[in-house]
């Protein structure tokens, strides 16, 4: 399995930052070494290089674990609710952190209505999500052609109205193929800076000392 420098760096960054994202801020910097987090990154990259696991699967799992990947809609509606917009804002923030990735948005409906109508409704729902992402500065070129499952994959098996079935699901679809040559030094520097900043926090007792004035002038 051929693995590009870009792909390997994205996977390394994703898994490393995931290990450093613990809410336990009182632990010492570097505690991840003790719990095996960095070793896990090495094992993951080795498995990817050997073709044992797929990079897209790893990133899809991380996306779904760190942000809600599903929003729901009102009956017979493709309008984003305020609650849905809050979830999509979280998704958009995650998506912006990984410009190498592309995404698919899948539209679903409940089982009320004809299959033809529901496929169109599911597509309109997915398009509403794509339009929202575009309004947040995410290029539509990073979003795959929309796929609507309509009423064929309900989350809850019922023929009546069901909000859980009226949904869209956002997933990592793979790597964006129009980014040009491999990563250059400037882009790598941005990634390193982001990683270091993520491992740095202010100590609560840190205070700025007042400037000392020489009494002798």
């Amino acid at each position: 399995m051929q693995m590009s420098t870009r792909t390997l760096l994205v996977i390394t960054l994703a898994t490393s930052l995931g290990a450093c994202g613990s809410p336990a801020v009182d632990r010492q910097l570097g505690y991840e070494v003790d719990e095996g987090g960095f070793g896990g990154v090495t094992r993951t990259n080795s498995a990817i290089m050997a073709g044992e696991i797929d990079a897209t699967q790893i990133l899809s799992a991380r996306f779904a674990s760190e942000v809600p990947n599903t929003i729901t809609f009102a009956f017979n509606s493709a309008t984003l609710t305020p609650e849905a917009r809050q979830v999509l804002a979280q998704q958009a923030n995650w998506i912006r952190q990984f410009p190498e990735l592309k995404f698919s948005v899948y539209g679903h409906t409940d089982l009320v209505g004809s299959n033809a109508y529901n496929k169109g409704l599911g597509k309109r729902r997915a398009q509403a999500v794509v339009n929202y992402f575009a309004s947040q500065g995410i290029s539509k070129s990073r979003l795959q052609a929309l796929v609507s499952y309509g009423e064929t994959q309900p989350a809850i098996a019922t023929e009546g109205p069901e909000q859980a079935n009226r949904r869209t699901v956002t997933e990592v679809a793979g790597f964006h193929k129009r980014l040009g040559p491999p990563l250059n030094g400037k882009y790598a520097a941005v990634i390193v800076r982001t990683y270091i900043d993520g491992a740095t926090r202010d100590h609560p007792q840190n205070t700025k000392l007042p400037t000392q004035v020489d009494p002798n002038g």
Side-chain angles (χ1 to χ4, degrees), residues 3 55 64 69 71 83 87 94 125 133 156 167 171 181 193 199 205:
M3 181 61 58
N69 65 350
I71 62 170
E83 294 78 13
V87 172
W94 199 100
R125 287 171 173 168
F133 287 155
I156 298 177
R167 69 197 192 280
E171 297 180 0
R193 185 180 67 247
Q205 296 180 356

Side-chain angles (χ1 to χ4, degrees), residues 61-74:
R62 183 186 168 188
F63 177 74
S65 69
E66 295 190 355
V67 297
N69 65 350
T70 302
I71 62 170
T72 59
F73 293 80

Side-chain angles (χ1 to χ4, degrees), residues 1 3-18 44-45 48 53-67 69 91 94-95 97-103 142 170-176:
M1 176 181 177
M3 181 61 58
S4 69
T5 301
R6 177 184 297 112
T7 300
L8 186 57
L9 185 54
V10 171
I11 295 298
T12 302
L13 177 63
T15 51
S16 296
L17 292 182
T44 297
N45 287 337
I48 292 172
I53 54 179
D54 180 75
T56 301
Q57 294 175 350
I58 296 245
L59 292 165
S60 293
R62 183 186 168 188
F63 177 74
S65 69
E66 295 190 355
V67 297
N69 65 350
Q91 293 184 16
W94 199 100
I95 290 171
Q97 295 180 56
F98 296 95
E100 297 83 4
L101 300 179
K102 58 184 179 181
F103 294 78
R142 297 180 56 200
T170 307
E171 297 180 0
V172 175
F175 287 84
H176 194 42

Side-chain angles (χ1 to χ4, degrees), residues 19-100:
C20 293
S22 172
V25 296
D26 291 330
R27 295 174 178 171
Q28 292 180 344
L29 185 63
Y31 76 92
E32 295 90 349
V33 175
D34 293 333
E35 59 86 35
F38 289 108
V41 173
T42 301
R43 288 191 297 274
T44 297
N45 287 337
S46 297
I48 292 172
M49 295 291 287
E52 297 173 2
I53 54 179
D54 180 75
T56 301
Q57 294 175 350
I58 296 245
L59 292 165
S60 293
R62 183 186 168 188
F63 177 74
S65 69
E66 295 190 355
V67 297
N69 65 350
T70 302
I71 62 170
T72 59
F73 293 80
F75 182 75
N76 195 30
S77 173
T79 300
L80 300 175
T81 65
E83 294 78 13
R85 289 177 178 274
Q86 291 178 0
V87 172
L88 293 179
Q90 296 179 55
Q91 293 184 16
N93 183 59
W94 199 100
I95 290 171
R96 282 193 295 266
Q97 295 180 56
F98 296 95
E100 297 83 4

